[in-house]
Amino acid sequence: MAQARLARREHLTGWAFIAPALILLGLFMIYPIVWSLWMSFQVGKGMNLSFGGFANIERLTKDPVFLRALGNTFTFFIIQVPIMITLALLFAVALNDATLRFRGLFRTAIFLPCVASLIAYSTLFKSMFANDGVVNQALMALHVIGGPIAWFSDPFWAKVVVILAITWRWTGYNMVFYLAALQNIDRSIYEAARIDGVPAWARFRYLTIPMLKPVILFTTVISTIGTLQLFDEVYNFTAGTGGPSDSTLTLSLYIYNLTFKFMPSFGYSATVSWVIVVVVGILSLIQFLIARDRRSS
Amino acid sequence: MSSLTLRGVRKSYGNVEVIKGVDLDIDSKQFVVFVGPSGCGKSTLLRMIAGLEHITAGDLEIGGQRMNDVDPSKRGIAMVFQSYALYPHMTVRENMGFALRFAGVAKDQIARQVGDAARILALEPLLDRFPKELSGGQRQRVAIGRAIVRNPQVFLFDEPLSNLDAELRVHMRIEIARLHKELQTTIIYVTHDQVEAMTLADKIVVLRDGIIEQVGRPLDLYDDPANQFVAGFIGSPRMNFLAGSIVEKGVDTVTIELANHGGTRLTLPAGGGAVGDQVALGIRAEHLGLPGTGTADITLDVDVAEHLGSTSYVYANAGGEAVVIEREESRHETGKDRITVSISADKAYLFDSKGQRLR
Amino acid sequence: MTDTPMTSAPARPVAATSILPGNPWALIRRGIVYLLLSFAAFVSVFPFFWMLVGTTNTSADIIKGKASFGGAFFDNATTFFTQVDVLRVFWNSGFIAIVGTVLTLAVSSLAGYGFEMFRSRVRERIFALLLLLLSIPFAAMMVPLFVMFAQAKLVNTYVAVILPTVASIFIIFYFRQATKAFPSELRDAAKIDGLKEWQIFLYVYMPVMRPTYAAATIIVFMANWNNYLWPLIVLQTEDNRTITLIVSALTSAYVPDYGMTLFATVLATLPTLIIFFLLQRRFVEGMLGAVK
């Protein structure tokens, strides 16, 4: 049809623009993902794989190390994400006050941790949380603790360091999103509310929070994915072991170890990686549903 | 000679048809204005002429050549956009010469053509500025200059004045009219503002829902609208429409009874219609005369009166049916609660229930 | 782009009632806010200070928590320079980060522009699929990816590090979002001016979107410079290591020499710190880009 010549050319041009990206994504993302899905049904060591059906899934349920890693990941996620989101929101609202002095300074300072690479900051934390290190010294000087805490050799405190570290690194990042969203809110909405006699807490509860909801949801999803993929920090803290006694072993670290540390077990490690995919999917869905539910009610 | 022709032109997006068969001849050097409410398809039609939207069916000819499949740059058109679409990273000079650069025109030739266009629009002092350093009116002139440089057969303007404030709009309107006189080229101009249409056009094309409602010279449309839509769209304030029904039919006349005016009857020259038909009587605000001067008098409750000095507008109603009355002098009369006005049958229009004119 | 938080917003005299004199509660509340923010700022900045101090102290002093400048800077530097081939390491990191960034921006901005400007039902479906893929963790593909590169005999090459990062869904998404703000009338005008699609991209889109490219450059460069897991897997010989891998290797030593390690950490962090302080605004814009 001659009529459609221009239309067809435009259509082809559209494909031309996205083709390089699609080819690369297909090759280095979609193909590996599909392959790993297929792998997750294979059993065997090294490259000697054979079809095992649901054998890997069965193995998951009986693998104490996997269950440990899953539990650790959940602990990090459930405790860390809410703390960080709350802190970020708090800082953002405080810094959004135009009458506050040194706003720029505070903002830059709190954002600064984002500049450090995951490896760099985990190195810093490892040295700061040494047994006689600066953190213990400071806490003892302030009489918060009597004796030094064995941060990296106690399973409980090791987890605490990980949570503190992630919170340090990412709070400023999330805060910036909230600040940007707050600045996009039309000021006259607040002025109208004040003239209507709405008290400050109610302005926060009924104006700020609902208007920030999309951003809060977005950052929660991002943080969830990030926490479930936790690797660099724990690897660096523990030289790849996830110790002490697997107390900081995360799913990603376990997959890495299954593949590259022990006798490679590609099929099983692929199965573990798909656990993350499924968990991320479920959690994102739940968060999305919660956000939608609150909106409708 | 016709410089641009549309034959059965249609446009659909999927199942939605937005231009439903347009036939139009535009003569060389004519200033044609497409006017209509938003969503009527006027901008789409313009973009189809430009080659920015594909023509689903029908033919477009410019200068006698079929242009349906020709690249926008080879149609002999230039376009001025609503947002001006100046390239923000280029100076005024570069903006104006950009098309020529890609047409392979020699540098000194580009400089000459840009210089000529700049002179016509008094843009010379601005040539080395960037768009962000210009005022709204200046940007508008640069956009027009960029179009002039290409020396097109047809200029296309897409609501070019809608981003300007009221005063500047009047100023630029006059400037565009002057340019048309000076350049002697065909202009197709899209607007939703009927004042722009009335003041600029040689020929107005009124569009609604992808269909041409009427084509004609501005005053012809004003004096002799083909249907109720055009009657209501052209003219400010809007034409009044009084509901009624046909009670009697003569040879070349019909007699109607107005619904909200206590059985007031008027006889108008018109064929068509049948006794019992619902009709609308259209009459412009300035044609509602002093009592006793016309065919029939009606009395209305005054809601508000606006005094603009030379003119006053009285907003009145009868039984909820709004009527606007324009009065040039007698201000005192407009201060009352009730007002009596007179309808002249020869200044009134009759429309049937489908909005078509009964002549 | 519009105002971003790092550029100080114009101070407007609003909320003035809360600091009216004679309102003690407001004053106390304000005091608490300052206290809280100061504490947060201190905690945020202290590790950086610690890092700088650490380069001047011996490893023994560092793990004893010495938080003042010492005299071991040159010892640390010397140890580091003798143990690590610095030029080689920086060449590795720099090459990977710069080439990776250029390729990523080219491929991903083309795709972002293509998705936004040339809409079709199929392409919209593909884009939606890509967004879904965004949430699939790297762990789920790293094993096959490694096997692929091993089979292609590309392990320990720059190509292996760079190639999988080039088509970044996040950056494609970022450019698509940014392209929404690109006036489509500009493209129309360019078409009427006789430009072909690739010329519009090159001569109109790219110059107009320079701020977007700048912001994306920072984000991608940082990601590449700091990338860890994939290089860790695919770069297994000493002479291919990036600075990030070196820092990690030094930290993971059985008895880490923290003086030298923190010196290495400073070197690893310096480029991103410099970029941050020079281009703070673009930095944050890049970060926010995807949600706008």
Side-chain angles (χ1 to χ4, degrees):
Chain A
M1 224 170 79
Q3 294 278 13
R5 212 203 66 174
L6 283 178
R8 201 173 51 233
R9 200 175 64 195
E10 168 132 343
H11 196 62
L12 286 178
T13 316
W15 285 112
F17 271 99
I18 62 171
L22 284 190
I23 291 168
L24 286 169
L25 285 172
L27 209 55
F28 299 119
M29 189 160 191
I30 295 168
Y31 176 61
I33 287 171
V34 174
W35 189 359
S36 96
L37 188 61
W38 177 80
M39 256 186 197
S40 65
F41 293 102
Q42 308 284 313
V43 290
K45 295 279 179 192
M47 290 309 285
N48 291 324
L49 297 175
S50 60
F51 188 75
F54 292 101
N56 284 326
I57 296 176
E58 226 179 287
R59 180 173 161 192
L60 278 180
T61 58
K62 291 176 199 144
D63 178 355
V65 186
F66 163 74
L67 295 176
R68 208 61 206 277
L70 186 67
N72 292 339
T73 305
F74 266 102
T75 311
F76 291 144
F77 157 67
I78 286 169
I79 296 175
Q80 194 269 331
V81 175
I83 293 177
M84 176 181 65
I85 299 280
T86 312
L87 280 177
L89 202 56
L90 217 64
F91 295 152
V93 171
L95 287 178
N96 194 44
D97 180 351
T99 62
L100 195 82
R101 297 187 55 171
F102 312 117
R103 289 165 83 203
L105 213 62
F106 283 131
R107 216 160 33 193
T108 306
I110 297 175
F111 181 74
L112 201 59
C114 290
V115 178
S117 77
L118 302 183
I119 290 305
Y121 94 82
S122 51
T123 297
L124 295 177
F125 269 68
K126 193 175 175 184
S127 64
M128 282 164 34
F129 283 82
N131 275 352
D132 304 315
V134 68
V135 174
N136 273 337
Q137 304 269 348
L139 291 178
M140 287 193 297
L142 292 170
H143 300 288
V144 178
I145 51 174
I149 296 174
W151 295 102
F152 287 107
S153 42
D154 180 291
F156 173 78
W157 292 112
K159 278 200 186 69
V160 171
V161 176
V162 173
I163 289 171
L164 286 176
I166 310 170
T167 308
W168 178 83
R169 173 63 168 73
W170 295 103
T171 302
Y173 175 84
N174 287 291
M175 178 191 77
V176 166
F177 282 94
Y178 301 148
L179 264 176
L182 284 172
Q183 294 200 337
N184 281 341
I185 295 177
D186 186 358
R187 272 212 132 73
S188 56
I189 291 176
Y190 287 101
E191 286 160 359
R194 273 175 53 188
I195 289 167
D196 289 347
V198 180
W201 67 266
R203 290 201 295 269
F204 179 76
R205 168 69 188 82
Y206 295 106
L207 295 177
T208 310
I209 294 285
M211 283 188 285
L212 288 188
K213 191 167 285 165
V215 197
I216 294 176
L217 176 68
F218 173 82
T219 52
T220 311
V221 171
I222 291 272
S223 308
T224 305
I225 296 171
T227 316
L228 289 172
Q229 295 199 49
L230 199 60
F231 176 84
D232 296 20
E233 294 92 330
V234 284
Y235 183 95
N236 209 25
F237 280 157
T238 65
T241 63
S245 56
D246 293 337
S247 64
T248 59
L249 186 73
T250 63
L251 287 174
S252 289
L253 186 52
Y254 187 44
I255 295 166
Y256 177 85
N257 286 342
L258 279 174
T259 317
F260 300 102
K261 278 271 172 74
F262 316 136
M263 179 65 191
S265 172
F266 291 142
Y268 185 57
S269 65
T271 312
V272 178
S273 71
W274 276 86
V275 171
I276 304 185
V277 176
V278 171
V279 170
V280 167
I282 292 173
L283 289 178
S284 302
L285 189 71
I286 291 174
Q287 282 161 349
F288 176 76
L289 288 178
I290 290 172
R292 204 183 53 178
D293 232 39
R294 288 220 190 107
R295 197 175 309 151
S296 59
S297 67
Chain B
M1 193 202 94
S2 154
S3 82
L4 192 145
T5 311
L6 297 169
R7 283 282 162 267
V9 166
R10 289 170 184 277
K11 172 77 188 173
S12 1
Y13 297 104
N15 297 326
V16 186
E17 197 167 45
V18 291
I19 302 290
K20 300 165 182 167
V22 164
D23 292 285
L24 187 66
D25 287 293
I26 293 170
D27 293 341
S28 189
K29 298 177 189 175
Q30 237 178 4
F31 197 127
V32 177
V33 175
F34 292 176
V35 69
S38 58
C40 70
K42 55 190 189 298
S43 278
T44 308
L45 196 57
L46 191 78
R47 291 171 59 82
M48 287 160 79
I49 293 170
L52 297 172
E53 299 279 352
H54 316 299
I55 297 170
T56 311
D59 295 308
L60 163 71
E61 285 180 14
I62 300 175
Q65 260 186 303
R66 190 169 180 278
M67 290 291 182
N68 287 42
D69 279 332
V70 177
D71 262 0
S73 59
K74 304 206 170 71
R75 292 186 179 202
I77 52 107
M79 188 157 169
V80 176
F81 293 87
Q82 183 171 4
S83 68
Y84 320 137
L86 299 179
Y87 307 118
H89 57 296
M90 299 181 198
T91 62
V92 169
R93 192 191 301 280
E94 289 165 338
N95 260 287
M96 290 170 71
F98 198 53
L100 299 181
R101 200 177 117 198
F102 281 86
V105 177
K107 270 195 177 145
D108 52 336
Q109 173 74 15
I110 295 177
R112 201 158 46 239
Q113 275 177 257
V114 169
D116 288 346
R119 203 162 316 118
I120 294 172
L121 289 157
L123 285 171
E124 283 133 320
L126 308 177
L127 280 175
D128 291 312
R129 295 214 197 152
F130 285 95
K132 63 169 182 290
E133 299 164 343
L134 304 178
S135 71
Q138 289 169 332
R139 283 179 208 181
Q140 174 70 74
R141 292 223 305 281
V142 175
I144 296 173
R146 186 171 67 177
I148 290 176
V149 168
R150 306 191 58 222
N151 198 13
Q153 290 183 50
V154 183
F155 278 101
L156 307 177
F157 284 85
D158 189 5
E159 307 222 11
L161 304 185
S162 55
N163 284 351
L164 300 176
D165 63 44
E167 199 180 331
L168 210 51
R169 204 177 303 172
V170 174
H171 177 79
M172 285 308 297
R173 202 169 73 202
I174 294 165
E175 185 137 345
I176 289 172
R178 177 183 70 81
L179 266 173
H180 179 237
K181 220 180 221 172
E182 201 171 320
L183 296 171
Q184 294 284 319
T185 42
T186 313
I187 292 183
I188 305 178
Y189 185 108
V190 163
T191 181
H192 61 266
D193 179 353
Q194 54 98 14
V195 177
E196 274 173 38
M198 293 295 284
T199 50
L200 286 170
D202 295 324
K203 179 149 105 179
I204 293 181
V205 178
V206 183
L207 285 151
R208 181 171 62 154
D209 292 338
I211 290 172
I212 293 183
E213 291 282 348
Q214 192 173 2
V215 180
R217 288 183 301 181
L219 287 179
D220 290 348
L221 259 57
Y222 187 83
D223 292 334
D224 192 13
N227 52 48
Q228 194 172 350
F229 175 75
V230 175
F233 194 77
I234 302 288
S236 173
R238 200 168 168 268
M239 184 184 278
N240 297 302
F241 295 107
L242 307 177
S245 55
I246 297 177
V247 288
E248 218 178 299
K249 254 186 82 65
V251 185
D252 286 322
T253 60
V254 292
T255 302
I256 63 161
E257 186 177 302
L258 295 176
N260 297 307
H261 300 279
T264 305
R265 291 186 176 204
L266 279 112
T267 303
L268 298 101
V275 172
D277 282 0
Q278 297 295 313
V279 292
L281 179 81
I283 180 126
R284 296 202 184 272
E286 72 266 29
H287 294 145
L288 288 167
L290 295 170
T293 57
T295 318
D297 287 0
I298 54 172
T299 299
L300 305 145
D301 297 323
V302 174
D303 296 322
V304 182
E306 289 178 349
H307 303 290
L308 305 181
S310 64
T311 312
S312 297
Y313 293 107
V314 181
Y315 296 88
N317 82 86
E321 188 178 71
V323 176
V324 188
I325 303 139
E326 186 178 322
R327 281 281 177 274
E328 301 245 315
E329 277 140 44
S330 60
R331 295 182 193 177
H332 67 279
E333 187 194 15
T334 59
K336 298 172 187 163
D337 288 346
R338 290 175 70 75
I339 185 169
T340 301
V341 294
S342 187
I343 301 170
S344 303
D346 60 334
K347 298 277 191 194
Y349 309 90
L350 209 54
F351 303 98
D352 67 16
S353 56
K354 292 195 182 77
Q356 289 308 306
R357 180 91 176 269
L358 292 174
R359 292 169 190 272
Chain C
M1 262 186 216
T2 50
D3 197 10
T4 52
M6 303 309 285
T7 65
S8 56
R12 266 169 285 191
V14 290
T17 48
S18 58
I19 47 165
L20 282 180
N23 188 346
W25 286 115
L27 274 175
I28 291 170
R29 213 167 56 200
R30 174 129 301 205
I32 293 172
V33 167
Y34 276 114
L35 219 62
L36 184 86
L37 287 176
S38 303
F39 180 70
F42 172 77
V43 169
S44 298
V45 174
F46 180 78
F48 290 94
F49 169 74
W50 175 253
M51 172 173 80
L52 291 179
V53 166
T55 59
T56 67
N57 286 322
T58 63
S59 191
D61 280 341
I62 292 168
I63 55 172
K64 274 191 223 136
K66 181 170 177 246
S68 56
F69 287 96
F73 179 77
F74 289 103
D75 288 344
N76 289 332
T78 315
T79 323
F80 178 73
F81 287 128
T82 48
Q83 283 199 15
V84 178
D85 183 353
V86 182
L87 285 181
R88 180 84 216 169
V89 166
F90 267 85
W91 166 256
N92 291 337
S93 273
F95 184 87
I96 289 168
I98 291 168
V99 174
T101 305
V102 171
L103 290 177
T104 304
L105 287 189
V107 169
S108 304
S109 70
L110 274 171
Y113 177 84
F115 275 119
E116 181 58 25
M117 283 296 181
F118 303 88
R119 306 267 187 99
S120 83
R121 210 171 306 156
V122 185
R123 283 191 289 269
E124 289 299 320
R125 294 257 167 82
I126 293 176
F127 190 75
L129 178 79
L130 293 188
L131 288 188
L132 275 181
L133 289 182
L134 199 55
S135 63
I136 294 193
F138 179 68
M141 54 197 116
M142 68 183 183
V143 177
L145 212 50
F146 175 73
V147 176
M148 271 171 72
F149 279 101
Q151 284 172 347
K153 305 237 181 309
L154 285 171
V155 172
N156 295 324
T157 62
Y158 293 144
V159 176
V161 190
I162 294 171
L163 220 45
T165 65
V166 165
S168 156
I169 296 178
F170 186 77
I171 300 298
I172 293 172
F173 184 58
Y174 176 53
F175 270 98
R176 183 179 183 167
Q177 289 299 105
T179 305
K180 288 183 198 297
F182 176 75
S184 66
E185 286 198 338
L186 235 42
R187 180 166 160 245
D188 293 339
K191 273 190 194 168
I192 288 178
D193 279 348
L195 278 76
K196 299 189 172 50
E197 293 290 354
W198 65 269
Q199 291 172 320
I200 296 175
F201 185 82
L202 204 63
Y203 296 110
V204 180
Y205 179 80
M206 285 182 66
V208 169
M209 301 301 278
R210 224 165 39 200
T212 307
Y213 277 94
T217 303
I218 294 167
I219 297 306
V220 177
F221 179 85
M222 287 251 307
N224 286 341
W225 181 267
N226 293 334
N227 198 5
Y228 180 62
L229 180 50
W230 179 239
L232 177 72
I233 293 168
V234 88
L235 294 181
Q236 299 176 336
T237 55
E238 203 58 49
D239 61 339
N240 268 323
R241 296 270 160 114
T242 62
I243 182 72
T244 309
L245 293 178
I246 295 293
V247 171
S248 169
L250 294 176
T251 313
S252 304
Y254 189 68
V255 182
D257 178 345
Y258 277 116
M260 171 179 73
T261 307
L262 291 186
F263 183 80
T265 312
V266 169
L267 289 185
T269 314
L270 220 49
T272 55
L273 263 181
I274 291 170
I275 293 173
F276 173 69
F277 280 110
L278 287 182
L279 302 165
Q280 221 184 85
R281 184 167 157 194
R282 294 260 176 275
F283 199 98
V284 177
E285 270 171 14
M287 212 151 260
L288 295 172
V291 269
K292 269 191 186 163

